[in-house]
Amino acid sequence: MAHVMEPSGSILYQNLARTVTLIDIPLSISLSQGTPEYPCTDLLYSDRPVENPHPSIEPRSVKAKQRVQERLPNPLPPFPRDLITQGLAEIRARRPQTFCSERRINQIRLSRHKEDPVPKKTGQLFEESSNQYEIKVPEWGIGAWCEPQGPLILSTTGEKYEIQRASDLINKVTANFSTRPVLVNLGYPGLEYRVPPYSAFMLSKVGQREALHFSKMASKLLPEPTLSAAPGQFDFILLDPPWENRSARRSKSYASRRQANEDPMRVLDKMLGKHIAPDALVACWITNKASVRDAALRAFESWGVELVEEWAWLKVTAHGEPICDLEGSMRRPYETVLIGKAVDVTLDGYEASTSPKSTTKRLIVGVPDLHSRKPCLKEIIEPMMKHRLSYRALEIFARNLTAGWWSWGNEVLKYNWKGYWTAGDIGDDTDCLFEQRDGAVPELETVDDMDQGIA
């Protein structure tokens, strides 16, 4: 029987070797918004937990399988099945009923959906419905490049900050260096975004000019060295690049590498290395394509980073079943995170690889939430930091902000919109699932004449 740690925060189960972790995805994001001094107690609206595995889409006949193999690029070898099966058995032995915490559930409807076109300006932003419980999410449109004037430092004395135009946030580093979250209002009722304590972000695409500006601002706003990083450097960098796949092609949020005018990974190849601290960890989400893994490893090499670990986020149902076949040819129930280190030393608190040619495998299990919403890795990565109270972290292609971290991307404020959140008590018992039906959530209509910000 594996030795286990007491559950804490969003980690519902973890063995002492930390090779198997069960994490609650919406809770991981919620808790990442706060600090020990000012914890976040609100809950993130979520999707209903998956109850049953998805129907198989695997080809059945020999000819159909051959056609799939000819059409699809070479996939990566499957993640070790024994680690997956043993890990699930460990978790089931201690959490037999459900693999996730309770969720506040709402139908979250994106305003860009073609089957539900957004009406023109109606004179009001909110439209209440007594029959539906939906959130219509405002969309950001990153306009043409505009030369920023400098960083925007939010008020250190108040809890609210008014911005006249949405474009005032674009292509500019915005920072909240206070001990409390700041609610940023974009000048229209309902367009409020919560910026966590000690956080900074840049709302922009990841392009050449944006990278140069981000680099300049990081050096300017982080002018002092820490115990582990030089000025402008980070101890942990997390990337979730828009790799080309069918899901990315359907999405209109982040342009894939093929769709983008500039390859963001090429852009980062040229600038990111100087912002990586000597003993830093770099984590990169990849797809199950061998070519994507190769591209990520080439980027690691250009930054002086060596692969030391591979993690798999296994997507399971609420009852702990993988959502599809473990070794499917069309899709697999997990996504992989490559973990690199700038210097080959033992990871503090973890059983790291002893050979630079081998990698430690770890399994993260979680019930999927909204499409493309990944678990926040903050609670998992912090034990690996040598200086947990002073480390610096950066997330690139982020979809939400994180307390104490820097974030960069053109969806960086997505899940910090106030409409995604509801008042709650994270400390409540979280063993049962329930659906929130306490009243209608107002639908947020977008306004077509807002200054190049909301589309």
Side-chain angles (χ1 to χ4, degrees), residues 115-291:
E115 64 271 17
D116 180 31
V118 180
K120 297 297 182 181
K121 184 175 180 181
T122 59
Q124 62 177 7
L125 283 171
F126 290 106
E127 176 182 320
E128 296 196 13
S129 168
S130 59
N131 299 320
Q132 298 180 351
Y133 303 85
E134 298 179 328
I135 306 171
K136 179 171 279 189
V137 181
E139 286 192 281
W140 282 89
I142 304 300
W145 168 260
C146 56
E147 193 68 34
Q149 299 300 313
L152 173 61
I153 308 300
L154 301 178
S155 173
T156 58
T157 57
E159 297 183 17
K160 292 188 177 182
Y161 195 93
E162 298 286 338
I163 292 180
Q164 297 299 318
R165 300 175 302 173
S167 60
D168 289 343
L169 288 181
I170 297 174
N171 296 331
K172 180 183 297 184
V173 171
T174 302
N176 173 22
F177 293 143
S178 69
T179 60
R180 301 168 70 89
V182 174
L183 198 63
V184 176
N185 186 287
L186 300 188
Y188 286 80
L191 291 183
E192 295 178 318
Y193 294 80
R194 183 164 48 189
V195 181
Y198 305 116
S199 66
F201 67 91
M202 180 162 161
L203 177 66
S204 78
K205 69 175 185 177
V206 180
Q208 186 66 44
R209 287 178 294 188
E210 292 83 1
L212 291 174
H213 180 66
F214 180 90
S215 181
K216 178 181 177 181
M217 290 297 102
S219 298
K220 180 176 181 178
L221 295 177
L222 301 173
E224 301 295 329
T226 67
L227 295 173
S228 53
Q233 289 187 335
F234 298 91
D235 302 288
F236 175 62
I237 296 178
L238 173 63
L239 303 99
D240 186 11
W243 304 114
E244 179 74 17
N245 58 29
R246 286 173 294 177
S247 176
R249 287 193 294 269
R250 289 193 297 266
S251 174
K252 302 297 184 182
S253 52
Y254 276 109
S256 68
R257 298 177 75 199
R258 184 181 300 178
Q259 295 165 336
N261 294 327
E262 296 177 284
D263 183 343
M265 292 301 287
R266 289 273 184 90
V267 169
L268 295 173
D269 279 351
K270 299 176 182 179
M271 63 77 65
L272 194 59
K274 65 182 179 182
H275 294 287
I276 298 176
D279 289 334
L281 296 180
V282 178
C284 185
W285 289 95
I286 63 171
T287 68
N288 291 313
K289 288 184 181 180
S291 59

